[in-house]
Amino acid sequence: QNTKMVNQILISSGMVALCEALLYAHKAGLDETQVIQAVSTGAAGSWSLSNYGPRIVARNFEPGFMVKHYIKDLGIALDEAKAMGLSLPGLAQAQQLYLAIQAQGGAEKGTQALMLALESLNGITRE
């Protein structure tokens, strides 16, 4: 159970970074697909970038893992961290962003739908 929580914590912060980076690329007028190709082979490369990045660019928010289940896992991780006396502000922030997606009707979307919450937060509307 604790190893699963480590995994979920890693993914949560990584997904925030991935979506923020792609949102930045979009706003800067860059070709997001080319950006993914350029940075995926260096230190910024990750499974999430290579697999979720193209889905985000294609506006494909179909689930591999649903937001509603991820929120549950993030809640468990936060509860366990609290019991250990740990403060994990990045995890707490990620949970809040996923709760925003759920509030916008995205509970059954994939975790990459985090992009939708960040777009909404920044007043960005995309097709």
Side-chain angles (χ1 to χ4, degrees):
Q1 181 75 8
N2 285 322
T3 302
K4 180 182 179 183
M5 293 304 102
V6 169
N7 184 70
Q8 301 302 56
I9 293 166
L10 284 165
I11 292 170
S12 70
S13 296
M15 191 63 75
V16 171
L18 168 59
C19 291
E20 286 182 347
L22 289 178
L23 190 61
Y24 179 94
H26 168 74
K27 193 69 173 175
L30 301 174
D31 180 312
E32 295 160 78
T33 300
Q34 289 181 355
V35 167
I36 291 168
Q37 291 170 351
V39 302
S40 64
T41 59
S46 69
W47 186 93
S48 291
L49 176 62
S50 298
N51 289 276
Y52 287 123
R55 290 188 208 175
I56 293 167
V57 172
R59 311 302 289 167
N60 176 356
F61 300 111
E62 291 301 311
F65 194 71
M66 288 185 198
V67 166
K68 66 182 178 183
H69 299 305
Y70 200 49
I71 289 170
K72 177 186 67 76
D73 285 355
L74 297 182
I76 292 168
L78 284 166
D79 289 345
E80 292 297 316
K82 182 179 178 183
M84 293 179 207
L86 290 174
S87 174
L88 302 178
L91 178 60
Q93 177 193 36
Q95 184 197 41
Q96 289 300 306
L97 291 168
Y98 279 105
L99 287 168
I101 297 165
Q102 181 173 260
Q104 296 167 4
E108 297 194 356
K109 293 187 182 302
T111 55
Q112 72 274 22
L114 178 64
M115 179 60 94
L116 300 173
L118 292 173
E119 289 170 350
S120 178
L121 189 65
N122 285 284
I124 295 173
T125 304
R126 295 169 67 174
E127 296 178 15

